[in-house]
Amino acid sequence: MAADSKILDGVTVVDLSTFVTGGFSSSMLANLGADVVKVEQPGYGDAIRHTGPPFIEGESPYYWTVNYGKRSVELDLKNDEALAALYDLIEETDIFVQNFRPGTAERLGVDYETLSERNDDLIYLAISAFGQTGPWRERSGYDLLIQGMGGIMDVTGEEGRQPVKVGLPMTDLITAMWAAFGATSALYRRELTGEGEYIDLGMLESVLPWLTKQAGQVFAGETPRRMGTKDPVLAPYQTFETGDGYINVCILNEKLWGELCEAIDRPDLVDDERFAQNSDRVEHQDELEAEIEATLAEKSTDEWIEVIAEDNGVPAGPVYSVEEALTNPQVEARGAISEIEHPEIGEIPVVEHPLKFENVDSGFELPPPLLGEHNREVFRDLGYSEEEVDELAAMGVFGGDE
C-alpha cells in the first residue's frame, strides 16, 4: 500500500441510522477511509443534529463527534423515486447500516432480503436495542435503559445509594464498536468467500461481554455491588482524596504495593497483616482507604503525582475535568485533538480516533456534513447526469427544498 492510502479505501458505506450507535460505528469506518453516505430525513435529518444545548451557530457539537468524515444525502423513503434512487446506490455499496426497530426496515423496503436481491455481496448491519429475535425484540431502547438492564448501573455508584449511569453514552458506544468490528470482519470474510453477510446486533447483548470481572463474581456465586471507585478484586485500586483534590492509584500486584508504600513513606503498611496480600486488602478496603488517605492529605495532588508516578513509577494519575482530558500535554503530543474546516463555521475541533498505523493512513478527511450537502454529488458520482439529478430533485426525492 502507498503511504497515503487507507485500509478501507474503496469501501462504500450507506448509513440510515440515527443518533449514536450506527453513527459512531460508521464514523470509525470513515476514519479508516470508507466513503460513508449518511442518508437522512429531508428537512430534519438525524435527530442528533438537534440534540442540545449546546449549539454552535445552530449546529450540535454532539452531532459532530459521531459524524466526522461523511457525506449527507436527504432521501424521502416514502417517495417511490427516492427508494429507487437508494436501490441504485445500494448496488454500489459494500456495507449498509440501520438501527430501526425490528419490522421497520421491511415496511420501508430496506430490509436485508430486499437489498440483497440488488446486491448479493452486501454486508447488512441491523442494530437494535434487543436484537431481531426474543420476547423484547420490538421494544425501543436507548443508552440509559440498556445501562440499567445490562448490569452497568447495578455496579456503578456508591454503596448504599441509588444506581448511577456512566456519564458517557456507554452502551451506545460499546454497540458501535461491536458494529464496526462486525462489519470489518464480514468484509474480510467476503474477501475469502465472495459472500455478503447479515449481522444482527442487539445493544443489550453488546454490553454483557464487558461485564468481565463482575460476571466472574456471579459465576463464582457472589453478588457484585456498588463500590464507588473501589474495585471488587484489586486493592488499592481506587480514587483517594489528597490535600487539594483527588488521585487515582492502581495497584495490581505485590511489587507495586511495596513500591507505593515506599513512595508515600508508609513502610508500616507492608507489615500490617490486614494488607499483606491483595486478597487481604480487598477484605479490608475501608481500613486501607483510611490509612492511605490520612497520608495523602498531607500534600497536593500534583505533589503526589510527582512522588508516586514520576519518581517511583507507580501507576497513579489525577482526576481531570473533561476540558483537561482534551487539552493536556500528552494528548497534544499525540495529536489526539485536531481541527477541520467546516463549510459554514470555519475551523472546528475533531476528536481523532486512536489507531495509528505504521504503513497506512487514518483520519477524517471531511467535516461533519450539513444536511443534504451532498445530495447531488453522491448521485453524480454514481453516474447520474446533471439532468437526471435535476429530475430526482423535481420528483421530491430530496424533499421539498431542492
Side-chain angles (χ1 to χ4, degrees):
M1 288 186 177
D4 60 350
S5 66
K6 294 184 178 180
I7 290 175
L8 297 184
D9 279 350
V11 172
T12 298
V13 179
V14 170
D15 183 0
L16 265 67
S17 70
T18 61
F19 278 109
V20 179
T21 51
F24 193 82
S25 68
S26 62
S27 77
M28 293 175 66
L29 304 178
N31 188 268
L32 298 182
D35 175 18
V36 177
V37 178
K38 182 177 180 65
V39 176
E40 304 188 69
Q41 177 184 343
Y44 184 79
D46 185 343
I48 197 173
R49 290 180 178 273
H50 311 284
T51 302
F55 295 99
I56 298 175
E57 297 190 24
E59 288 213 346
S60 168
Y62 183 24
Y63 157 75
W64 296 347
T65 63
V66 296
N67 285 290
Y68 301 120
K70 305 177 186 178
R71 299 193 288 170
S72 170
V73 169
E74 296 169 285
L75 288 179
D76 179 3
L77 296 184
K78 296 177 182 178
N79 178 314
D80 290 342
E81 297 298 334
L83 195 58
L86 177 65
Y87 291 158
D88 284 347
L89 184 57
I90 292 300
E91 289 180 3
E92 304 299 324
T93 295
D94 299 288
I95 300 170
F96 178 84
V97 183
Q98 55 96 339
N99 66 342
F100 299 124
R101 195 183 305 188
T104 301
E106 287 79 3
R107 289 195 296 273
L108 291 174
V110 294
D111 54 290
Y112 176 66
E113 182 176 351
T114 299
L115 299 190
S116 64
E117 287 177 358
R118 292 160 171 81
N119 182 346
D120 61 7
D121 65 357
L122 181 68
I123 294 164
Y124 187 107
L125 179 57
I127 304 169
S128 59
F130 300 101
Q132 302 296 312
T133 59
W136 300 342
R137 64 182 292 271
E138 294 186 1
R139 290 191 190 181
S140 61
Y142 296 94
D143 174 69
L144 175 61
L145 300 185
I146 304 302
Q147 286 204 35
M149 298 175 75
I152 294 175
M153 290 175 65
D154 186 44
V155 295
T156 304
E158 297 178 339
E159 188 172 11
R161 302 187 68 178
Q162 73 174 22
V164 175
K165 77 177 182 70
V166 178
L168 312 177
M170 183 61 69
T171 66
D172 288 330
L173 299 170
I174 288 172
T175 306
M177 297 190 79
W178 283 119
F181 175 66
T184 51
S185 298
L187 272 179
Y188 176 70
R189 180 179 179 274
R190 193 179 72 176
E191 286 298 303
L192 300 177
T193 67
E195 297 176 343
E197 187 59 84
Y198 175 83
I199 304 171
D200 170 8
L201 177 62
M203 290 178 67
L204 181 61
E205 297 157 72
S206 296
V207 170
L208 302 183
W210 291 52
L211 294 175
T212 58
K213 63 182 70 175
Q214 286 81 10
Q217 288 180 281
V218 171
F219 298 157
E222 299 179 6
T223 301
R225 57 191 177 91
R226 290 186 287 282
M227 302 178 67
T229 65
K230 294 186 180 73
D231 190 87
V233 299
L234 295 168
Y237 193 97
Q238 66 182 90
T239 304
F240 294 101
E241 194 166 358
T242 67
D244 70 344
Y246 298 93
I247 186 172
N248 286 325
V249 177
C250 308
I251 303 302
L252 283 78
N253 55 50
E254 304 313 317
K255 178 176 179 293
L256 287 173
W257 169 238
E259 291 173 348
L260 172 65
C261 294
E262 181 179 350
I264 65 174
D265 196 24
R266 289 295 306 272
D268 58 299
L269 296 179
V270 175
D271 299 324
D272 191 318
E273 63 181 14
R274 295 174 299 171
F275 313 135
Q277 299 294 322
N278 179 70
S279 57
D280 302 312
R281 296 192 294 275
V282 170
E283 290 294 323
H284 298 92
Q285 288 193 58
D286 290 343
E287 300 101 305
L288 179 64
E289 181 179 47
E291 293 284 355
I292 293 177
E293 282 200 336
T295 298
L296 296 183
E298 299 171 3
K299 296 180 180 179
S300 70
T301 297
D302 287 346
E303 289 173 317
W304 281 122
I305 293 297
E306 183 175 354
V307 170
I308 297 173
E310 300 293 343
D311 296 344
N312 288 276
V314 176
V319 179
Y320 278 155
S321 68
V322 175
E323 183 175 0
E324 289 169 326
L326 294 170
T327 57
N328 63 75
Q330 180 65 24
V331 163
E332 291 171 1
R334 296 281 289 174
I337 307 296
S338 65
E339 291 185 332
I340 199 166
E341 184 72 23
H342 186 280
E344 291 189 349
I345 299 175
E347 295 288 335
I348 65 170
V350 176
V351 183
E352 294 288 353
H353 289 193
L355 297 173
K356 299 181 186 298
F357 298 95
E358 180 70 22
N359 297 311
V360 292
D361 257 345
S362 62
F364 297 110
E365 296 182 1
L366 298 173
L370 301 174
L371 177 60
E373 180 180 352
H374 305 96
N375 285 348
R376 292 176 171 271
E377 176 183 292
V378 165
F379 285 96
R380 284 198 300 264
D381 290 351
L382 199 60
Y384 281 57
S385 68
E386 197 66 43
E387 291 75 16
E388 288 171 324
V389 176
D390 287 340
E391 288 179 13
L392 292 181
M395 291 185 289
V397 165
F398 306 127
D401 295 332
E402 270 281 345

